[in-house]
Amino acid sequence: MNPDNFFKTAFFFEANLAIVALVLGWIVDVVPYQDLAIDNTAFSIGLLGTIPLFLLFSLLYSHPVFGFDKIKQTLIDTIGQQLAELRWPQLFALAAAAGFGEELLFRGTLQPWLENIGGYQFGLLASNVIFGLVHAISRMYAIVTGVVGIYLGYLMDISEQRNLLAPMITHGLYDFLAFIVVADTVRKKRVEQDDDLNR
């Protein structure tokens, strides 16, 4: 897939998760955006919440242990080549679409619905088991994504009032930074290969 088609397809998919969230919310009687408000506290939580997540990613990306080397290689093999062809505004748009669409679906619709069925802890855990499973490009990646989803779910409730804005910002900003790192890895590898060929 060429970079332009990759961007359009990925952006369309992520953005349309918001429509899936609205339709599913209508079916299960949950308003996905009911806890979404523009708020300085939630915005700050979202920004600060990105820091530990990205630091952990950076550490495990540069010093992979416990199967994280396979996750790193999988990221490079599956999306790295395409990400390396995109400019930073495209990476930002893609990450923002993922943060908005995925959070509206998983934290805005699924988690509240499952909370209505079995309480807060059940909703938090069950929605993120699903979150991990839909990201199951490997067993370890599914586990890590599920744990990250639980973290994002807690961010939504860390202040006095539940706000979906916090995990949306953390998710989008984290994805953006991770996209930059993965794309940079591929670009550096290409430069090294070109240098080797020119020797």
Side-chain angles (χ1 to χ4, degrees):
M1 186 180 296
N2 70 51
D4 192 47
N5 285 343
F6 168 78
F7 172 73
K8 288 176 182 176
T9 302
F11 183 86
F12 181 81
F13 175 82
E14 294 291 355
N16 276 288
L17 289 179
I19 296 172
V20 174
L22 292 171
V23 172
L24 181 60
W26 177 74
I27 292 169
V28 299
D29 198 27
V30 170
V31 180
Y33 51 83
Q34 68 184 355
D35 295 314
L36 177 60
I38 305 302
D39 176 80
N40 287 338
T41 300
F43 187 79
S44 299
I45 290 169
L47 289 177
L48 292 172
T50 308
I51 296 170
L53 205 55
F54 183 66
L55 287 177
L56 182 61
F57 169 81
S58 298
L59 179 66
L60 292 173
Y61 192 84
S62 57
H63 305 289
V65 292
F66 306 122
F68 284 89
D69 53 338
K70 291 181 181 177
I71 291 176
K72 176 180 177 178
Q73 196 57 51
T74 300
L75 287 172
I76 291 168
D77 293 342
T78 55
I79 60 172
Q81 301 297 326
Q82 287 82 9
L83 292 177
E85 298 298 327
L86 301 180
R87 298 178 303 278
W88 78 262
Q90 292 172 302
L91 295 176
F92 184 82
L94 190 54
F100 180 76
E102 291 186 26
E103 291 307 307
L104 199 65
L105 177 58
F106 289 96
R107 253 62 66 190
T109 303
L110 283 176
Q111 185 174 331
W113 172 51
L114 292 167
E115 285 173 358
N116 291 339
I117 293 171
Y120 177 75
Q121 293 296 333
F122 174 77
L124 181 66
L125 292 173
S127 63
N128 287 300
V129 166
I130 298 168
F131 187 63
L133 290 174
V134 300
H135 288 85
I137 56 178
S138 73
R139 185 181 302 156
M140 179 62 79
Y141 193 77
I143 293 168
V144 170
T145 304
V147 171
V148 168
I150 291 170
Y151 174 75
L152 293 169
Y154 276 121
L155 285 181
M156 183 168 65
D157 292 312
I158 204 169
S159 67
E160 293 179 6
Q161 186 171 353
R162 171 173 277 195
N163 197 333
L164 193 55
L165 181 65
M168 280 182 172
I169 289 173
T170 298
H171 189 152
L173 186 54
Y174 166 79
D175 277 5
F176 176 57
L177 296 172
F179 288 167
I180 289 173
V181 170
V182 173
D184 191 54
T185 300
V186 173
R187 290 178 189 133
K188 285 180 178 175
K189 190 171 183 179
R190 287 178 183 172
V191 169
E192 289 171 5
Q193 288 172 342
D194 288 345
D195 289 344
D196 289 342
L197 288 173
N198 291 329
R199 284 179 186 165

